[in-house]
Amino acid sequence: MKQIIIEGNNYLEGTINISGAKNSAVALVPASLLSDDIVTIDNIPDISDIDALNEILKYLGAKVDRNATSMTIDSRNINNKEIPESISSKLRASYYFMSALLGKYKHVEMYFPGGCSIGARPIDQTLKGFRALGATVVEENNKFIIDADELVGNNVYLDMPSVGATINTILVAVRAKGKTVIENAAKEPEIVNVATFLNQMGAKIRGAGTSKITIIGVEKLGKCYIEVIPDRIEAGTYIIAGALMGKNLRINNIIPGHVEMLLSKMKEMGVNMEIGEDYVTVSKTDNLKPVSVKTLGYPGFATDLQQPLTTLLTQCSGVSKLEETIYENRFQNVEYLNLMGADIKINGRVIDVKGPSKLIANTVKATDLRAGACLVLAALAAEGKTTITDASHVLRGYEKIVEKLTAVGAKIEIEDI
Ligand code: EPU
């Protein structure tokens, strides 16, 4: 087991460069299978979720050339065989292989995907998209056998703007016959990145980033090159670190528009920051005002930043309210923040965070990826040495977190026990 150890209460000074977005990269890699040629994906983050996808690519027989920041994938001679549950259960994004293989071969066999345990996370909307385009889905003991004689475009109305269902429906529709219209689509920037990638291969996707996406199917997709957009959740996490412990901490290589909901809330709190064209400089600020936050699909407040933000709310003077509307079990960090001196009460889907609290080191557990990020932030601000167990969750989504934080003055190490 990996654990992260942080000696807290040290200022963070200097620059942190943001990596490519996890939630884009984990869709782009499986989407590469739709090409009939070689594709290159640049600015790939070095995180364990990408290692797991790479394992699936290799299992299927794709030729992958991965260096520090890029991946070249040749899937021209892959073997479309059942992906073992032991690999697909490692992450949620494994189900992008479901749609990419279905789109290309009209047949796929795969198990229910994995991912952080933060709620039920059903895939009914993805299956609704597959069925609308002509596929038959048989589910047996957690395994899905999905077939189509022919994939034909259709109108798909998503019951909720699901990121996964939007991307999965696009991945099938690009190779279906005729026109697909996805309504109530999710609008996350990662979806735009995936649509741009496919359009560069020759797909015809319009409207990505809005709630109505139109796709005209094509027979072949070709060679292409794409860069992964900067990770807005990694950026947001380090911007919060700056508000807690920064001394002109510069978070570089970001798209500020992608973190606007966070920056607006931080302005409301009174955080001392400067927003540039592709960076934010942020410093520790005292006497922060409490705020109310509700998580929503993009461009609303990102659920993935809810747990990291909670750490900052413990430093506001008064009671902040935070409502989680996307997942039913994304407050597992609260128990551990309270162990570190926070005063947080859970009332169903809402937490009341009373501050300011003096955070004190303890031994805490990263129950999931963003809970882990929340505890890293708390440990950076806390008095004493915090141990965060189950730290492999954190490594799924934060590239070189130890190196990046060490470079700006944090006392952080990771150990295998
Ligand atoms: N939902 C359904 N049915 C569906 C799909 C979704 O009921 O078919 C509901 C569920 O409650 C589900 C929620 O909608 O939990 C959100 O689902 P969505 O499909 O939007 O999320 P996702 O595609 O599973 C991606 C990110 C998550 C991020 C969400 C929301 C990836 C691999 N994961 O998940 O990222 O929280 O979008 O923005 O892209 C993370 O990075 O920590 C993370 C969990």
Side-chain angles (χ1 to χ4, degrees):
M1 190 184 69
K2 287 191 192 308
Q3 55 185 30
I4 292 176
I5 295 152
I6 297 175
E7 170 86 49
N9 208 16
N10 289 296
Y11 277 107
L12 305 176
E13 198 173 359
T15 299
I16 296 181
N17 285 310
I18 296 307
S19 304
K22 165 179 102 68
N23 289 345
S24 252
V26 296
L28 293 169
V29 169
S32 69
L33 294 190
L34 284 161
S35 172
D36 303 295
D37 210 321
I38 298 171
V39 302
T40 300
I41 308 172
D42 212 350
N43 200 30
I44 286 257
D46 186 6
I47 50 176
S48 58
D49 268 12
I50 295 292
D51 299 338
L53 294 175
N54 209 355
E55 211 179 320
I56 299 179
L57 281 179
K58 288 191 171 150
Y59 169 82
L60 294 172
K63 285 192 202 137
V64 183
D65 187 8
R66 183 175 175 193
N67 65 31
T69 60
S70 88
M71 253 169 112
T72 296
I73 303 164
D74 177 354
S75 58
R76 284 175 295 185
N77 295 312
I78 62 165
N79 184 0
N80 180 20
K81 52 186 176 172
E82 177 188 311
I83 298 172
E85 193 171 13
S86 57
I87 332 183
S88 59
S89 65
K90 285 187 185 169
L91 75 171
R92 176 78 170 169
S94 59
Y95 75 162
Y96 293 135
F97 279 103
M98 235 184 219
S99 49
L101 291 169
L102 177 65
K104 193 165 185 179
Y105 299 104
K106 300 184 180 57
H107 171 84
V108 64
E109 292 188 32
M110 233 190 104
Y111 290 83
F112 194 84
C116 284
S117 111
I118 48 182
R121 311 190 79 180
I123 65 166
D124 54 297
Q125 298 303 302
T126 283
L127 300 180
K128 179 179 178 179
F130 292 170
R131 289 189 176 109
L133 272 67
T136 308
V137 181
V138 176
E139 188 191 345
E140 264 168 27
N141 303 326
N142 223 24
K143 181 177 157 185
F144 296 85
I145 302 168
I146 309 174
D147 277 298
D149 293 336
E150 194 178 42
L151 291 164
V152 183
N154 202 346
N155 280 10
V156 181
Y157 182 89
L158 298 178
D159 297 345
M160 80 275 298
S162 152
V163 173
T166 302
I167 294 178
N168 276 323
T169 307
I170 294 175
L171 296 188
V172 177
V174 286
R175 305 226 17 180
K177 276 197 182 135
K179 181 168 152 184
T180 297
V181 179
I182 309 174
E183 288 188 86
N184 198 26
K187 296 184 281 223
E188 270 67 2
E190 292 74 21
I191 295 167
V192 180
N193 206 188
V194 172
T196 308
F197 179 53
L198 294 164
N199 282 344
Q200 284 182 16
M201 289 182 198
K204 293 183 178 158
I205 307 167
R206 301 288 174 266
T210 75
S211 57
K212 184 172 174 179
I213 303 178
T214 304
I215 305 124
I216 311 283
V218 296
E219 273 178 20
K220 270 182 95 67
L221 291 170
K223 203 175 183 129
C224 89
Y225 168 89
I226 188 89
E227 256 184 52
V228 182
I229 56 170
D231 194 313
R232 62 195 168 97
I233 308 301
E234 187 199 20
T237 303
Y238 289 129
I239 292 171
I240 294 169
L244 286 163
M245 288 311 301
K247 223 186 205 180
N248 288 321
L249 181 70
R250 184 176 165 121
I251 315 302
N252 229 10
N253 182 36
I254 67 166
I255 299 174
H258 289 178
V259 281
E260 208 170 295
M261 61 322 178
L262 173 69
L263 297 177
S264 302
K265 280 294 154 191
M266 289 179 54
K267 279 183 205 154
E268 214 178 303
M269 290 177 183
V271 173
N272 179 2
M273 22 176 211
E274 181 209 329
I275 302 168
E277 222 159 75
D278 65 350
Y279 68 89
V280 172
T281 304
V282 53
S283 297
K284 176 176 163 66
T285 315
D286 294 325
N287 299 319
L288 294 175
K289 294 190 215 48
V291 291
S292 289
V293 181
K294 182 174 180 172
T295 64
L296 285 171
Y298 190 82
F301 194 93
T303 169
D304 298 342
L305 283 173
Q306 177 264 103
Q307 292 161 305
L309 183 75
T310 306
T311 306
L312 187 57
L313 298 184
T314 68
Q315 301 309 302
C316 296
S317 306
V319 179
S320 294
K321 279 198 182 294
L322 202 159
E323 182 178 353
E324 171 61 59
T325 71
I326 312 287
Y327 297 108
E328 53 294 351
N329 194 18
R330 214 171 202 187
F331 288 142
Q332 293 169 81
N333 53 321
V334 166
E335 175 187 345
Y336 298 101
L337 273 182
N338 282 344
L339 268 183
M340 294 179 74
D343 181 355
I344 309 173
K345 289 193 174 59
I346 306 179
N347 303 305
R349 288 279 188 110
V350 179
I351 54 172
D352 290 336
V353 187
K354 191 170 170 198
S357 298
K358 185 174 168 51
L359 297 174
I360 300 164
N362 210 323
T363 297
V364 290
K365 180 171 149 187
T367 52
D368 53 83
L369 166 58
R370 308 301 171 188
C374 154
L375 296 172
V376 166
L377 293 170
L380 289 171
E383 197 73 56
K385 204 182 238 186
T386 296
T387 299
I388 303 169
T389 65
D390 289 46
S392 54
H393 283 298
V394 179
L395 305 181
R396 290 189 41 206
Y398 290 88
E399 177 177 79
K400 297 192 171 57
I401 185 166
V402 171
E403 292 85 337
K404 286 187 184 187
L405 283 170
T406 302
V408 294
K411 296 213 163 58
I412 172 170
E413 35 186 75
I414 191 153
E415 59 182 34
D416 256 310
I417 54 162

